[in-house]
Structures are given as structure tokens and as C-alpha cells.
Amino acid sequence: MTLQSPGVRSTNVIDLTDAARETPRQLGGRRPEDRLAVIGAAVSSLAITAAVFTQLTPFSGVVGFLAFAFATFIAVYALIVSFDEPGPIVRDRLVAVLIHGAAAFLVAALAIVVGFTLWKGRQALTHANFFTEDMTAAGPLEPLSVGGIKHAIVGTLEQIGIALTITVPLGLLCAVFLNFVPGRFARLVRTLSEAMTALPSIVAGLFVYATVILSLGVGKCGLAAALALSVEMLPIIIRASDVVLRLVPGTLVEASLATGASQWRTVWHVVLPTARSGLATAVILGTARGIGETAPVLLAAGYTTGLNADAFSGPQVSLPLAAFTFVKSPEPAMVARGFGTAAVLMLLVLLLFAVARVLGGRAPGNLSRRAAAARRRRSAQDVRRMQARSRREARDDDIPTIWSTT
Amino acid sequence: MRRSTLGGQVAVTTARTTHEVPRVLAARPDPADVAFRWLARAAGVMVLLVMTLVGLFLAVRAEPALRKAGWRFLTTESWEPDAGRFGIAAVLTGTVLIALVAVAVAVPLATGAALYISEYAPRRLRTTLIGLVDLMAAIPSVVYGLWGLFLLQPEILVHGPRGDGLPRWIATYFGWIPFLSVTGADPRDPLSTGTLYTSSTFVAGLVVAMMVAPLICSIMREVFSQAPAGEREGAYALGSTKWGMVRTVVLPFGVGGMIGGTMLGLGRALGETVAVFLIISPVFVIQPHILQNGTSSVASLIALRYGEATPFATAALMAAGLVLFLMTLVVNFVASSVVARSRSGAVSDA
């Protein structure tokens, strides 16, 4: 036997004389020698790389070290595996190593991006005034104990609030339209909004700059930024909720229509509640995208150092724009503020994601344990109510009841 | 018997003939339903209107600049609108090169990560990883920009006075490939400066790659995980290894999703603004050397110049924005149609 799938125990002897003692063959899992091959290759590649970097050549640098070690690991591992496995299995193992490497790299990159921002932001975040003051009193040379980003927090909350008031009803209604009023027009809208999901944020900003600020003559303000964010978020929310609504089981919709419910009652009482957690996730994903956009705010709302709680007039800054403006300054304190602002922004996005996780993001009809229990209780209550009514009607009309009266 | 609340009255035609005639089901829709449909349709019209207005307004505002520049708008390198010499040849080249570097780096990474999530990861790890990738896609671009400007460029890629690091290494050993050379760099000169390798197309492309990789990854993962279970089992039953199964079943099935995801990533990379703005140092000549200091992109040009622009210069910026808009729109259209064509079983039962 030359070709065997990975991990099959070739030494497993089945005792056919005693059928009762027959044990199932183990098809998956790893053999000890597989694990040893990985460990051996890792140790060997580290040793070779260390020798090359410290003794043999003038190579240096962490990136070079890691890249060289990974390449050596692949070579050594291929050699070890090829001692006792045929070609296809060697290729299988090598691809597995590459794929694991790519996934680990991506996760490590995420960890570095998040960790680096939090680490550099810690100086600013430990000052309480960072959250309670704006930047009017803080010149470029002021230390971190003066000034903060209250104005940016207020700006972000107001802009995203306005954007959500526009996009949530419009986006959800449009997704309902795409799914329940089908036709050529719906297809056109779907194609267009799908193509718009990757609308460059600067173009959204430029659009609002061209319409609201240049054509209508409204000055730069939070409302304009919110409109730009809406243009940016709308296709994302539509697309995500369209996908969620498409997953609502057609049997549920038809059951509702068959009981005689009208279409809008079906949508309101069956479709939307069924897809609730998915829709919430769609909205949160759109919010997370909108909250981090810098370019639209830069073009539409301008920059100010002071607190401006009125979104309808005057420049209003948001968190990403504040971070962007801070780090362009050469002063270390300003750069630290920039990182602090970016950290606050990132924590906000993390919080949104945590909320999305708690809400579920479950597929329609796939309930959490508590929701399922609540639904069972309500269903039992309905049965009791119907039994009571049918008993009452049976008493009045003297017709035998269809509900068991136990 | 109480009348049930049927949405419409059903006219029943009973035929007296022996062969049955199908019933005529003429439903008169409920007024509430009619209102609902019109409301939904209005939302659709509204969304369509907004989306068309974006292109329309940009075109109207860009018209004076485009009329003045004509076709030279696409071939001029410099950007001096008030002097009458302006065009997007340089910025467009920069945009495309940055996006290509980003996609070239992101696609292998994203493919590997997507295959890991859909094929190799333990079940429990899978949902966590999907969440992490989605989170990575949602991290604001300004955070990636900060990371690129303060960690990736000065600490990892170009460090020390001579600019040691990956770009220098590539330029030294692969400089004979035309677009990888760096003019003015002499690897044997110990006094050569490192700033030659900073703020380049390559660095900006790497930062954008980190931003688009999760996007591409999540689309690929979705398509890979839809590969039919029967064919997977079939491949295993024929004695295939895991990679053999992936190569013969999962990848051919997911090739549309891979192309579409790549193009969606490309569309996103073309439009990236702040991260690129923070990294690059703008120049207005066509810069084909991706490792060399100085490049530019349409989005960062707009962010850089809109503030102090005269009305005519604003029109020129609008024209640049219009070109960017049309380019991403075409890329996205192609991408989403490729993804849609490849996706099977998008509609649920019933």
C-alpha cells in the first residue's frame, strides 16, 4: 500500500475471531510521528535560522528572521515527511503548513494592529481630562493633562445618530422591497446597491460637498457629515439585511399568507421578528463602518477644536477625523492624543461587535435558549387561551369542542 | 361561522360540466397591502435616486473642468488646475499601482486564511475566527493608517539610517526588474539615506492589503464553505488527501467567489483615502518604481487639495472623483456579477 490518507492507523489489527471485541478504526486525528515531525522541523528550523543570523551571515531584523525561519521550517518538514510518506501526502502537509501560516499571519496582524494602538494610546487614555475636555485650551505644545476629545465623542455620536435615523428605516424598507415586491425594478435596485457597497468614502464626501454645501449653500456642519455617512452606510445595510431576509424560510411566509394574513402583516409579524437578530447585526455592521469613516467627515463637517453640540450649524469634528488631524502634528503629545482617539474609536467598534455577538447574528429561526423558552411559554399561553375560548363557545352553542379539555 | 380575515375575496367559479375547470383566483388586494407595496417601492426609488444622484452631481460639477481639459485630462501628469495644466495620469497610475500591490499581497493571505477557516479549523475555533475576520474588516481605516505610519514603516520595513528592511533588500537583489528598481539608490554606498524607501507605493499597498485581506477572506470563506458535501466525500472516498480534495472540489467550486472577492477588494483598495494619505508623500509624475519614495492616489489628492481650492480647482477635483467613482463602480459591477453567478443555493427552501 503506497497511498494512504493522513492519519489512518496502518498498525490497527482487527481481531476477527471475536466480533464482540471489534473496535472501530480511528480515521482522523494525528499519529505521534506526525506531531514529532512538526516539533522536530520547528526545532531544527529555529536552530538553523539562529545559526545563520548570529554566526554565518550579517543578516538581521525580526521580519527577516521570521521569514527565514518559516522557509527553513517548510524545507525541513518536507524532508522529514518525505522519509516515510509518498509524494501526494508530502504536498498535502506542505499546503497545510502554508494555509496555517496564512491564517496565523492574519490573526497576528489583527492582534498587532489592535494591541499597538491600545499600547500607544495608553498615555492619553489614563488622563481623565481626555474624556471631559475639548481642545480649545490645548495648543500644540500643551501636555496631555490639558485638552481632550469630548467634542469629537459628541460629534461622532450625533453624526452616527442622524445617519442611523436615516439609514435604518430606509435601508430595512428597501431590503423588504427587494425581497417582497420582486420584479425587474427590484433587480435593478439590488444590482446598483450591491455595486455601491464599495463606494469610495471620499466620493460620498465629495457628493455631499457638491450637493449640500456647494449647491444648497449650507455651511459645513454635522448634518452634512451625517448625510455623507448615510450614503456610505445605506448600501451596506441594504445588502446585509437583504441577505438575512432571503434566509427567512419560505414555508413560514407561505404559512402566514395561508392563514389569511395580508402581505404587510406577514412582513411585520412574521418576517421581521424572525430575522430580527440578523437585521440587528446588519445595522451594527453598517454602524461600525460609518463610525470609522474619516474622509466624508473631513469634506463635509470640517475641523474644529471646540465643542459644537449643534449638528445643524458650524463645523463638527468626529473621532476618526480628530485622530487623523492629531497624528499629522509633529508634537509627541499630539501624536499620543491621536493614538488615544484611535483607541477610543477602536474600543467603540469592539463594543459594537460585542453587542452584535450578544444579539446573536443567528440565522433566522435559529433561536437562543432563552428566546426559545419565551416562545414556548407564549405558545402554551395561546393554547390555554384557545382552549378556554373553545370551552366557552362549546358551552354557548352546545357544539362538541375540538380541543382536548384535559 | 366568523369570516376569516382573508387578504382578498376569492371568486369561485363552479363549473357544472363533468371536466373540471381550474378555479379563477382573482384576489383583490387589501388596501393596506397596496399602501405597503407603494411604500416599499418608494424606498426602492429613493435609494435608486440617491445612488444615481451621486454620479449625476459629480458629473455636473465636474463639467467645467472636463470641458476645459478635454481628453488631455486623462494624459496630463501635473495638477495645477488654475494654471490650466491638470490631469489624472499620475494620480490614476498611483491609485492603480497601490491597489495592485494591495491585492497581490492580500489575495494569497486571504485565500490561505479562508481555506483554513472553511477546511482546516476545528469547529469551535471556526466561529471565533469568522468573528475576528469580520472585526478586522470593520477596524477604521485611520487605525490602519496609524499602524502603517508609526509601526510598519519606521520599525519593520525601513529602519536604521540606511533604511534596512524588506524594500531595500528587494531593490538590491531584484532591482533588475524594471518596476522594482529605485533610482538614486546605491546598495554599496554606506552613506545612502533610508528615506528613499519610505512613503512608497509598496508601503501604502501593504497597509491597504491589511485592510482588504479580511474583506476578500470573508467572501472566499463563504463560497468555499458552500462546496457540495457529496463531492467532498467523493474525493475522500477515492483516496484523496485533504489538499487533493481542496484542489479538485473546493477551489474549482469557489473560483467565481475568489475572482469576485478579489475584485471587490480591488474596488475597496482603489478608493482608500486616509490610510494612503497618511503614508504617501504626493508627487505628480507617473511613478512606476513601487519601492521608491513618492506616489499619489486620486482619493488622497482630493483630501489634500479640496480645502484651498478655487471654484475651478474644485471642479477639477470633482472630475477626478468622478473618474474614481466610475472606475470602482465598473470593478464592483463585474465583481458582484461574478460572485452572484458562482453562488448556488442562495434562495432557501420553498
Side-chain angles (χ1 to χ4, degrees):
Chain A
M1 180 174 154
T2 51
L3 196 138
Q4 71 184 46
S5 47
V8 173
R9 263 178 207 280
S10 50
T11 53
N12 205 338
V13 181
I14 299 172
D15 190 357
L16 287 174
T17 53
D18 190 355
R21 270 172 48 210
E22 202 175 309
T23 48
R25 284 207 292 171
Q26 191 195 345
L27 292 170
R30 295 227 163 76
R31 294 169 297 180
E33 53 262 43
D34 297 341
R35 209 164 289 149
L36 284 176
V38 173
I39 295 171
V43 171
S44 147
S45 77
L46 275 182
I48 293 175
T49 314
V52 166
F53 269 64
T54 57
Q55 310 294 325
L56 298 176
T57 59
F59 289 173
S60 64
V62 183
V63 180
F65 188 89
L66 288 177
F68 195 90
F70 190 63
T72 331
F73 175 79
I74 290 178
V76 175
Y77 186 62
L79 189 68
I80 295 177
V81 175
S82 69
F83 283 150
D84 46 16
E85 304 283 6
I89 295 188
V90 176
R91 278 199 289 280
D92 176 60
R93 299 288 166 80
L94 288 187
V95 172
V97 168
L98 287 178
I99 286 176
H100 279 74
F105 186 89
L106 215 56
V107 171
L110 176 69
I112 289 175
V113 169
V114 172
F116 176 71
T117 312
L118 290 179
W119 177 248
K120 292 276 269 189
R122 76 194 187 285
Q123 287 173 318
L125 292 180
T126 44
H127 288 86
N129 59 296
F130 191 62
F131 301 98
T132 55
E133 291 178 13
D134 60 23
M135 290 297 290
T136 36
L141 294 173
E142 292 290 341
L144 284 171
S145 51
V146 179
I149 51 162
K150 186 180 163 198
H151 57 316
I153 296 176
V154 170
T156 284
L157 291 181
E158 284 190 6
Q159 287 166 14
I160 209 77
I162 298 174
L164 281 177
T165 358
I166 299 170
T167 49
V168 169
L170 194 58
L172 293 189
L173 199 58
C174 185
V176 166
F177 163 72
L178 295 181
N179 275 282
F180 293 95
V181 193
R184 194 175 293 167
F185 180 56
R187 264 205 305 282
L188 176 69
V189 174
R190 176 177 285 147
T191 319
L192 205 65
S193 59
E194 268 187 11
M196 291 298 242
T197 38
L199 178 76
S201 56
I202 191 94
V203 171
L206 210 54
F207 165 62
V208 169
Y209 188 68
T211 49
V212 177
I213 292 170
L214 292 182
S215 297
L216 297 180
V218 183
K220 288 189 175 183
C221 61
L223 179 68
L227 289 176
L229 292 181
S230 305
V231 174
E232 186 72 22
M233 288 158 62
L234 197 56
I236 298 173
I237 293 182
I238 291 176
R239 182 151 183 225
S241 28
D242 178 33
V243 171
V244 172
L245 289 184
R246 225 186 284 175
L247 289 175
V248 171
T251 42
L252 267 184
V253 177
E254 291 190 352
S256 165
L257 291 174
T259 57
S262 63
Q263 198 178 18
W264 82 268
R265 274 182 180 282
T266 304
V267 168
W268 188 252
H269 289 293
V270 176
V271 174
L272 292 183
T274 311
R276 185 162 54 195
S277 81
L279 293 178
T281 313
V283 170
I284 287 172
L285 288 182
T287 315
R289 178 78 185 277
I291 220 167
E293 286 297 358
T294 315
V297 186
L298 176 72
L299 260 65
Y303 181 75
T304 170
T305 54
L307 175 66
N308 175 16
D310 182 9
F312 297 96
S313 71
Q316 190 184 42
V317 76
S318 74
L319 281 171
L321 181 58
F324 177 67
T325 318
F326 288 152
V327 294
K328 282 198 294 181
S329 155
E331 297 301 325
M334 273 304 198
V335 173
R337 282 194 190 100
F339 273 100
T341 316
V344 170
L345 181 62
M346 215 168 53
L347 290 175
L348 213 56
V349 173
L350 283 176
L351 181 76
L352 282 173
F353 258 78
V355 172
R357 254 294 147 86
V358 169
L359 282 181
R362 289 160 183 278
N366 185 357
L367 299 172
S368 71
R369 201 173 296 164
R370 250 183 57 207
R375 205 155 290 189
R376 268 199 299 277
R377 268 201 307 281
R378 240 175 338 188
S379 170
Q381 204 177 353
D382 281 344
V383 171
R384 275 199 299 280
R385 187 167 55 80
M386 286 175 175
Q387 281 175 345
R389 189 160 88 186
S390 88
R391 269 202 300 274
R392 209 169 45 242
E393 282 179 0
R395 221 179 23 248
D396 295 349
D397 306 352
D398 217 350
I399 296 168
T401 161
I402 56 166
W403 300 99
S404 69
T405 49
T406 48
Chain B
M1 184 192 128
R2 291 190 312 116
R3 269 190 58 85
S4 64
T5 52
L6 266 176
Q9 285 158 338
V10 179
V12 180
T13 322
T14 39
R16 292 195 174 181
T17 46
T18 47
H19 55 269
E20 277 180 41
V21 178
R23 289 199 293 172
V24 181
L25 295 170
R28 197 179 64 215
D30 197 48
D33 252 11
V34 176
F36 162 75
R37 275 161 181 266
W38 278 110
L39 189 67
R41 218 169 265 139
V45 172
M46 185 95 176
V47 169
L48 193 67
L49 204 67
V50 171
M51 302 299 160
T52 358
L53 277 185
V54 174
L56 208 66
F57 255 89
L58 286 182
V60 168
R61 285 274 159 190
E63 196 257 326
L66 285 178
R67 182 172 300 241
K68 176 131 188 250
W71 287 108
R72 274 177 300 127
F73 185 67
L74 293 177
T75 54
T76 311
E77 290 181 30
S78 60
W79 190 266
E80 290 149 25
D82 295 321
R85 283 191 310 278
F86 62 99
I88 52 166
V91 283
L92 205 59
T93 315
T95 309
V96 172
L97 282 179
I98 291 175
L100 286 181
V101 170
V103 167
V105 174
V107 165
L109 268 184
T111 314
L115 281 177
Y116 179 74
I117 294 174
S118 80
E119 308 299 325
Y120 287 82
R123 192 174 296 269
R124 194 171 300 168
L125 199 59
R126 198 170 293 168
T127 40
T128 317
L129 280 176
I130 292 173
L132 278 181
V133 169
D134 286 348
L135 176 66
M136 203 173 164
I139 285 184
S141 54
V142 67
V143 174
Y144 281 105
L146 293 188
W147 171 76
L149 186 60
F150 289 93
L151 183 73
L152 184 68
Q153 175 162 299
E155 305 291 336
I156 298 179
L157 287 181
V158 187
H159 50 84
R162 290 169 57 211
D164 290 325
L166 187 60
R168 187 189 166 97
W169 187 78
I170 298 178
T172 308
Y173 294 102
F174 296 94
W176 46 273
I177 302 173
F179 67 96
L180 291 179
S181 67
V182 173
T183 38
D186 180 7
R188 275 158 200 83
D189 178 9
L191 296 174
S192 67
T193 165
T195 51
L196 214 51
Y197 301 100
T198 55
S199 305
S200 62
T201 309
F202 180 69
V203 180
L206 281 189
V207 174
V208 177
M210 284 301 116
M211 300 175 56
V212 297
L215 180 80
I216 302 175
C217 176
S218 72
I219 292 169
M220 286 191 186
R221 184 213 18 108
E222 205 170 296
V223 183
F224 288 157
S225 60
Q226 284 173 354
E231 288 174 33
R232 287 165 190 262
E233 305 275 316
Y236 280 137
L238 289 171
S240 163
T241 57
K242 187 160 224 166
W243 165 240
M245 187 279 286
V246 169
R247 193 168 55 85
T248 51
V249 175
V250 177
L251 290 183
F253 182 86
V255 72
M258 290 174 73
I259 296 172
T262 305
M263 294 198 69
L264 279 182
L266 185 68
R268 184 78 186 276
L270 288 172
E272 180 44 43
T273 314
V274 278
V276 173
F277 184 97
L278 283 173
I279 301 287
I280 65 173
S281 55
V283 291
F284 292 102
V285 288
I286 292 181
Q287 171 68 279
H289 305 299
I290 62 170
L291 297 172
Q292 193 169 338
N293 182 307
T295 180
S296 50
S297 83
V298 176
S300 60
L301 165 78
I302 297 169
L304 184 69
R305 292 292 176 86
Y306 87 102
E308 59 268 24
T310 57
F312 184 74
T314 309
L317 288 178
M318 294 281 174
L322 182 68
V323 172
L324 179 66
F325 171 70
L326 292 178
M327 200 162 63
T328 51
L329 204 62
V330 168
V331 169
N332 288 332
F333 255 127
V334 175
S336 55
S337 67
V338 171
V339 175
R341 202 162 298 168
S342 79
R343 193 179 293 160
S344 60
V347 184
S348 68
D349 57 343

